[in-house]
């Protein structure tokens, strides 16, 4: 491989995106960049490719002879469960994901909804529509208890903001490394203990074998009846069928869902029209082209000088 | 005056409020508490009254012989321009206002609107109504510039929250005492310098001769065309007629108004229906009965032991 000019392939189903990424990479002096948006194009350009920057990539090709020069695959996203699930990807290919890029976006998203609900924005809006002077007293986030499941860079940023709102902050994590961030730390064997006192539960966990459908029916019912559930992690963290029946039974005041078992959320899905379910389109933590490009270029320089890459995926851990 | 049991009069036009205040004061062992909600009742109970806890009080009575025993008037609110304006109130009566009680409420109010706007909540909501998968990329508060006019306890709490959102924080104050809180501090002679770089301008100033109509037409036009103006101070800080014409000309993206020149805002006022004007009913910093009672009782104990009172009003300064 040429140390100075590795052969890079940028893949995403979005035509405009790949061109923008390629331009940004070339602007940093890396000239051997090809782009692909279809399976045909990937097959054409894979031979000789050493580095892939990809999103929704046809991973089954990575074990084929045409991919034999690939050494490193950088995902454009934070979640890489598609790459983990495809066991055919050779161990020799280094996998990395985007980290430390989503905390700002996702925490702003989370607090926009928490404040919307706690200040009773719908009532303020309705009063204006009716030209009604209505000086009601709202509740405050201050004094409420938030639980953050997953204390990676996203969870940590939510914790940081929760502090300035003077909330009680609980956390759950698998590794326990960041336990000191929160007032009360719980491990996965204490799930029902963790959820039972929360006013707000925010899921930022990665999707792994251990977290798949971690929000079972029993766990949903262990939450306070007036609690609010926010999922900015992965749709499959929640057993959606059970969430629907639990909410239809009147348990849980609100669900704020940015991720779903099936995305895009099908047109006829009941979530779209359930009262107290807020649906958004997997937009809370966007991979901005600017952010991903700069993360990738930083990693590329590390790769070329054989330094450890950021966002290295541990296939056993699952993220 | 009996040091142990001063004669206290609680006045507010709201019947239920005065009873709750009185009960809360009696619960703390102060048994000589009378309540009034009308002018007649005030006239009946004023003779012998030493301490008043009041809201929308008929201040012209304070100079009459029936009020000759009144030594201290505690307002239930933070703004006391009605007390300042009534020059007939004897200098011998100590005036206090509520301080340090509104930062939480008002800062949560301000950030609920800032996030609502920056995350483009209306678009998220509309997409859900149309069952449309719409993963757009919002802007962030991070990197935006907020200016806080007035750096008392309310302004300081807004600054504290703006910091955790990684905003650039500018501030304006008359005293300059809290200048170190902000990245750039401005004084009233630098008003147009202060406003010209702001994405968000939050007014938390008290109403005094110096701040009356401080937001002139020229100053509104000195703001960025896409800026957002938030008034949680007093309605008369803004020349409303000019705000209307400036916004109708397409200058300023949004105004969030919780206070008005005339309150309640008249039914036929154009603010109710102007696009990009958010009207709320002077509710951003509510005087909660619990908060005001506990502030008053703390001050009452200070009063009886001749310690300096909190929230002491300086008639010359105007608040």
């Amino acid at each position: 491989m040429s140390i100075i000019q590795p052969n890079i392939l940028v893949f995403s189903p979005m035509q405009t995106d790949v061109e923008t990424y390629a331009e940004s990479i070339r602007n940093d002096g890396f000239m051997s960049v090809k782009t692909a948006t279809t399976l045909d194009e990937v097959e054409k350009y894979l031979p000789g490719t050493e580095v892939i920057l990809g999103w929704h990539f046809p991973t089954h090709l990575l074990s084929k002879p045409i991919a034999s020069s690939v050494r490193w695959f950088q995902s454009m996203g934070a979640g890489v469960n598609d790459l983990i699930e495809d066991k055919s990807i050779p161990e020799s290919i280094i996998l990395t994901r985007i980290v430390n890029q989503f905390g700002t976006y996702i925490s702003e998203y989370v607090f926009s909804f928490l404040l919307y609900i706690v200040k009773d924005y719908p009532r303020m809006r309705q009063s204006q529509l009716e030209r009604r002077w209505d000086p009601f007293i709202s509740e405050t986030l201050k004094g409420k208890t938030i639980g953050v499941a997953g204390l990676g860079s996203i969870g940590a940023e939510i914790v940081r903001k929760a502090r300035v709102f003077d909330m009680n902050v609980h956390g759950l994590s698998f590794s326990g490394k960041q336990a000191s961030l929160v007032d009360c730390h719980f491990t996965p064997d204490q799930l029902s203990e963790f959820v039972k006192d929360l006013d707000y539960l925010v899921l930022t966990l990665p999707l792994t074998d251990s977290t798949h459908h971690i929000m079972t029916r029993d766990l949903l019912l262990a939450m306070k009846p007036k609690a609010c559930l926010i999922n900015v992690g992965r749709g499959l963290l929640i057993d959606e069928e059970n969430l629907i029946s639990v909410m239809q039974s009147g348990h849980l005041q609100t669900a704020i869902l940015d991720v779903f078992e099936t995305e895009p959320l099908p047109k006829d899905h009941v979530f779209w029209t359930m009262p107290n379910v807020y649906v958004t389109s997997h937009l809370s933590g966007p991979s901005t082209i600017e952010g991903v490009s700069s993360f990738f270029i930083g990693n590329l320089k590390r790769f070329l000088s054989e330094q450890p890459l950021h966002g290295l995926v541990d296939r056993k851990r699952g993220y």
Side-chain angles (χ1 to χ4, degrees), chain A:
Chain A
M1 173 175 102
S2 154
I3 291 298
I4 310 302
Q5 292 292 347
N7 295 319
I8 300 168
L9 177 61
V10 179
F11 178 84
S12 155
M14 315 274 281
Q15 180 70 47
T16 50
D17 285 9
V18 292
E19 292 308 329
T20 316
Y21 280 118
E23 200 181 312
S24 157
I25 296 164
R26 288 191 197 105
N27 280 345
D28 238 85
F30 300 99
M31 303 313 289
S32 179
V33 186
K34 294 206 161 57
T35 61
T37 58
T38 64
L39 191 60
D40 280 356
E41 288 172 342
V42 176
E43 284 176 338
K44 180 171 161 197
Y45 294 129
L46 258 184
T49 290
E50 290 148 338
V51 175
I52 298 171
L53 172 61
W55 181 240
H56 289 232
F57 190 85
T59 52
H60 65 278
L61 294 180
L62 293 173
S63 54
K64 307 283 184 231
I66 52 170
S68 60
S69 9
V70 176
R71 303 233 342 247
W72 166 38
F73 184 102
Q74 168 74 57
S75 166
M76 291 178 188
V80 286
N81 43 293
D82 56 336
L83 301 177
I84 297 290
E85 273 160 26
D86 186 345
K87 304 295 180 197
S88 77
I89 302 174
E91 292 281 336
S92 59
I93 299 179
I94 300 166
L95 304 179
T96 55
R97 64 194 189 99
I98 304 287
V99 292
N100 303 325
Q101 292 274 319
F102 304 101
T104 294
Y105 274 97
I106 293 185
S107 61
E108 289 193 6
Y109 172 95
V110 167
F111 281 91
S112 75
F113 277 97
L114 297 194
L115 287 164
Y116 180 92
I117 291 166
V118 84
K119 302 328 272 182
D120 202 346
Y121 191 92
R123 178 166 169 181
M124 292 196 277
R125 197 67 191 148
Q126 190 59 32
S127 304
Q128 179 167 356
L129 286 173
E130 296 171 9
R131 305 180 180 210
R132 186 160 45 86
W133 190 257
D134 176 31
F136 70 95
I137 298 179
S138 73
E139 294 188 66
T140 59
L141 289 186
K142 179 175 179 169
K144 296 263 190 321
T145 303
I146 188 172
V148 182
L151 295 172
S153 64
I154 295 166
E157 186 57 30
I158 294 169
V159 167
R160 189 172 79 99
K161 294 201 164 98
R163 292 279 178 216
V164 88
F165 282 99
D166 303 310
M167 305 179 80
N168 308 310
V169 186
H170 296 188
L172 175 135
S173 70
F174 280 75
S175 74
K177 274 188 292 193
Q178 297 273 62
S180 64
L181 286 182
V182 294
D183 301 325
C184 296
H185 181 265
F186 297 83
T187 47
D189 57 317
Q190 302 169 301
L191 270 168
S192 49
E193 274 301 296
F194 169 61
V195 304
K196 77 180 176 46
D197 295 323
L198 304 177
D199 297 303
Y200 308 101
L201 169 58
V202 187
L203 305 178
T204 75
L205 293 162
L207 181 61
T208 67
D209 289 346
S210 317
T211 64
H212 184 273
H213 281 190
I214 193 169
M215 293 304 296
T216 59
R217 180 179 179 80
D218 282 352
L219 204 56
L220 292 166
L221 289 171
M223 293 175 71
K224 285 166 140 181
K226 295 214 147 193
C228 167
L229 173 66
I230 299 131
N231 191 3
V232 289
R234 280 292 179 266
L236 282 160
L237 298 175
I238 299 177
D239 184 332
E240 286 186 355
E241 208 171 303
N242 281 324
L243 177 60
I244 293 164
S245 70
V246 162
M247 288 193 76
Q248 282 173 341
S249 79
H251 198 82
L252 294 188
Q253 190 162 63
T254 319
I256 295 156
L257 305 174
D258 188 46
V259 287
F260 304 91
E261 290 191 347
T262 305
E263 291 179 10
L265 187 67
K267 284 267 184 205
D268 59 353
H269 199 290
V270 65
F271 278 154
W272 289 112
T273 51
M274 276 174 74
N276 302 328
V277 172
Y278 294 85
V279 170
T280 57
S281 307
H282 200 151
L283 50 66
S284 66
S287 292
T288 64
I289 293 183
E290 197 185 2
V292 170
S293 291
S294 101
F295 185 92
F296 173 68
I297 290 163
N299 248 356
L300 184 59
K301 291 175 181 170
R302 262 173 231 102
F303 181 73
L304 296 174
S305 58
E306 297 184 355
Q307 290 176 275
L309 300 188
H310 289 167
L312 206 58
V313 172
D314 178 337
R315 286 168 160 93
K316 270 197 201 127
R317 191 180 57 172
Y319 60 95

